[in-house]
Amino acid sequence: MCRILASALVFCLIGILSACDDSRGRDYYTRMAVKGLATAPAGKERMQMGKVVAKGSHALPDIEQEFHSADPGGRRLLLEALERLKDRRALAFVQYVARWDEDPKVRKEASRVSRTLESLKAGSPSSGSPE
């Protein structure tokens, strides 16, 4: 009986330790930071921007996903985050937004961010993002 309980305890500990090792927690906090930026109340944008930029390149997929449900103000903030991340992998998405977004202010912001991303060194996909 003790042997069975000891085995069960070992399997539980292995499960707990392996759950602590994966990146699901990091992904959750990245998604929440991006969502917080897109929906930030007035005066809280800079704090949320810092959280997203601190996530680095890991935030790129979440920014693109959140972009589709954000209001125009949130979309402009997400574009600013992409600019601050300085990751050329976002260029194609930003160019798409510059051409097809329904809001003219968002299109104008995307064009500006697109020029910034194009001016980065062509050989470097990510010049300032921490990994």
Side-chain angles (χ1 to χ4, degrees):
M1 182 70 167
C2 287
R3 192 176 258 176
I4 293 172
L5 288 174
S7 296
L9 181 62
V10 167
F11 284 119
C12 287
L13 287 174
I14 290 172
I16 289 170
L17 291 175
S18 66
C20 293
D21 191 35
D22 69 292
S23 65
R24 284 181 284 189
R26 181 183 64 206
D27 292 342
Y28 171 80
Y29 289 113
T30 303
R31 275 192 299 279
M32 291 300 101
V34 170
K35 183 174 238 6
L37 176 61
T39 61
K44 300 289 184 183
E45 301 96 345
R46 298 300 128 206
M47 178 181 71
Q48 289 301 125
M49 182 70 70
K51 289 179 182 180
V52 172
V53 172
K55 301 298 181 183
S57 298
H58 299 294
L60 291 175
D62 294 313
I63 290 172
E64 184 176 348
Q65 184 176 16
E66 186 63 32
F67 198 89
H68 300 292
S69 62
D71 65 6
R75 293 197 303 268
R76 287 193 306 273
L77 286 170
L78 292 171
L79 285 167
E80 184 181 337
L82 289 173
E83 180 180 32
R84 288 182 181 213
L85 287 173
K86 292 182 174 34
D87 195 322
R88 286 184 49 89
R89 290 175 287 188
L91 183 58
F93 176 72
V94 173
Q95 289 172 334
Y96 177 85
V97 170
R99 181 163 184 180
W100 297 106
D101 195 87
E102 61 192 31
D103 188 274
K105 290 180 182 177
V106 174
R107 287 194 308 267
K108 184 177 180 182
E109 179 72 8
S111 293
R112 188 186 65 72
V113 172
S114 176
R115 286 190 300 275
T116 300
L117 293 177
E118 286 172 344
S119 70
L120 297 174
K121 288 173 59 175
S124 171
S126 175
S127 61
S129 325
E131 289 292 323

